[in-house]
């Protein structure tokens, strides 16, 4: 059974308070989304396997731990997920990056797919799907299923803000997937926006509103 991790590190929560503020500029919003992704990545990679080996320091041999050959992939859900990619790559620069393009139809709230490009060896990789917002969960559940269809067995979902409705959807549809969020907000409004949330993450990252 996948676990839900609600990350409450003070640095993370402080940065989250700034991106929720409607007066935060596009530049600062984008920078903070990236910094938050880095902090979340640190927690989400905590269970990566390590192997013990030796290196020679200038004065002696040290027994050290290295990540044990695990291959990672970061898969942002376009567009807003793009804002989290650089922050992830800051800590795992060798990860490959796949892209899944989904937008949420404003009337039906159903995800509509418009793009997909994944690393060829995606099925051998530990996949981190990133998207700042988990609202109804429709986009994330579709992205997870898409990646599962390629044979991936190790998938983690990282969203900055989540709604209870979206969490329930993922836990129901994909009980094997670990979920990492920085907040579980109160609810969705009639238009499927997270309350209190931060508005439309894609628009705030790219300045399109
Ligand atoms: O959980 P859901 O109800 O599916 O909603 C969440 C989705 O909505 C937003 O994307 P949006 O459709 O606004 O596309 P964008 O990233 O291009 O702005 C967000 O980035 C998620 O992908
Ligand atoms: O609150 C929400 C819900 C979906 N997508 C967003 O960007 N924000
Ligand atoms: Mg959007």
């Amino acid at each position: 059974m996948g676990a839900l991790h609600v990350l409450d590190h003070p640095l993370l929560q402080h940065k989250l308070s700034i991106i929720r503020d409607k007066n935060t500029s596009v530049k600062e919003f984008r920078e903070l989304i990236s910094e938050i992704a880095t902090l979340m990545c640190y927690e989400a990679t905590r269970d990566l396997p390590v192997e013990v080996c030796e290196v020679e320091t200038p004065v002696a041999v040290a027994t050290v731990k290295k990540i044990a050959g695990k291959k990672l992939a970061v898969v942002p859900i376009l567009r807003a997920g793009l804002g989290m990619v650089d922050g992830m790559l800051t800590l795992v620069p060798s990860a490959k990056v796949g892209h899944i393009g989904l937008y949420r139809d404003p009337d039906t709230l159903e995800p509509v797919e418009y793009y997909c490009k994944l690393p060829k060896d995606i099925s051998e990789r530990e996949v981190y799907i990133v998207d700042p917002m988990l609202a109804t969960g429709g986009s994330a559940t579709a992205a997870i299923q898409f990646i599962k269809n390629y044979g991936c067995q190790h998938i983690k979902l990282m969203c900055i803000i989540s709604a209870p409705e979206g969490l329930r959807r993922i836990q129901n549809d994909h009980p094997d997937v670990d979920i990492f969020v920085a907040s579980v907000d109160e609810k969705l409004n009639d238009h499927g926006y997270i309350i209190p949330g931060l508005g439309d993450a894609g628009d705030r990252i790219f300045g399109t509103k």
Side-chain angles (χ1 to χ4, degrees), residues 79-80 193 200-203:
R79 278 173 311 167
Y193 274 83
D200 188 298
D203 284 339

Side-chain angles (χ1 to χ4, degrees), residues 142-177:
I144 293 168
Q145 190 55 55
F146 207 81
I147 288 171
K148 282 185 173 175
N149 291 347
Y150 279 80
C152 295
Q153 292 179 346
H154 303 286
I155 301 172
K156 291 180 177 172
L157 175 66
M158 297 173 58
C159 299
I160 297 174
I161 296 182
S162 64
E165 294 88 334
L167 289 171
R168 279 198 295 274
R169 175 90 191 260
I170 303 301
Q171 288 171 324
N172 182 64
D173 293 357
H174 303 288
D176 54 308
V177 169

Side-chain angles (χ1 to χ4, degrees), residues 77-80 102-104 131 133-139 200 202:
I77 301 177
L78 307 184
R79 278 173 311 167
L102 292 173
Y103 73 86
R104 200 171 68 150
D131 190 330
M133 309 304 275
L134 180 67
T136 65
S139 304
D200 188 298

Side-chain angles (χ1 to χ4, degrees), residues 4 6 12-13 15-21 29 33 36 40 84 131-137 140 157-164 166-167 179-188 193-199 201 204:
L4 171 62
V6 183
L12 196 49
Q13 292 302 318
K15 291 175 195 298
L16 182 55
S17 78
I18 302 172
I19 60 171
R20 284 191 193 274
D21 188 334
F29 188 91
I33 289 277
I36 288 171
M40 293 184 71
M84 296 175 71
D131 190 330
M133 309 304 275
L134 180 67
T136 65
L157 175 66
M158 297 173 58
C159 299
I160 297 174
I161 296 182
S162 64
L167 289 171
I179 307 170
F180 295 81
V181 299
S183 177
V184 181
D185 277 15
E186 195 188 327
K187 60 178 182 184
L188 298 178
Y193 274 83
I194 300 175
I195 302 297
L198 50 67
R204 296 196 63 188

Side-chain angles (χ1 to χ4, degrees), residues 7-16 32-46 84 86-88 90-91 158 180 182:
L7 307 176
D8 65 351
H9 193 291
L11 288 174
L12 196 49
Q13 292 302 318
H14 182 80
K15 291 175 195 298
L16 182 55
L32 286 165
I33 289 277
S34 187
E35 289 174 20
I36 288 171
T38 302
L39 294 170
M40 293 184 71
C41 180
Y42 180 77
E43 296 291 346
T45 50
R46 191 174 277 283
M84 296 175 71
D86 281 353
M88 298 287 291
T90 298
L91 295 190
M158 297 173 58
F180 295 81

Side-chain angles (χ1 to χ4, degrees), residues 17-30:
S17 78
I18 302 172
I19 60 171
R20 284 191 193 274
D21 188 334
K22 67 178 184 184
N23 294 315
T24 295
S25 70
V26 169
K27 174 178 181 289
E28 197 180 3
F29 188 91
R30 193 163 45 223

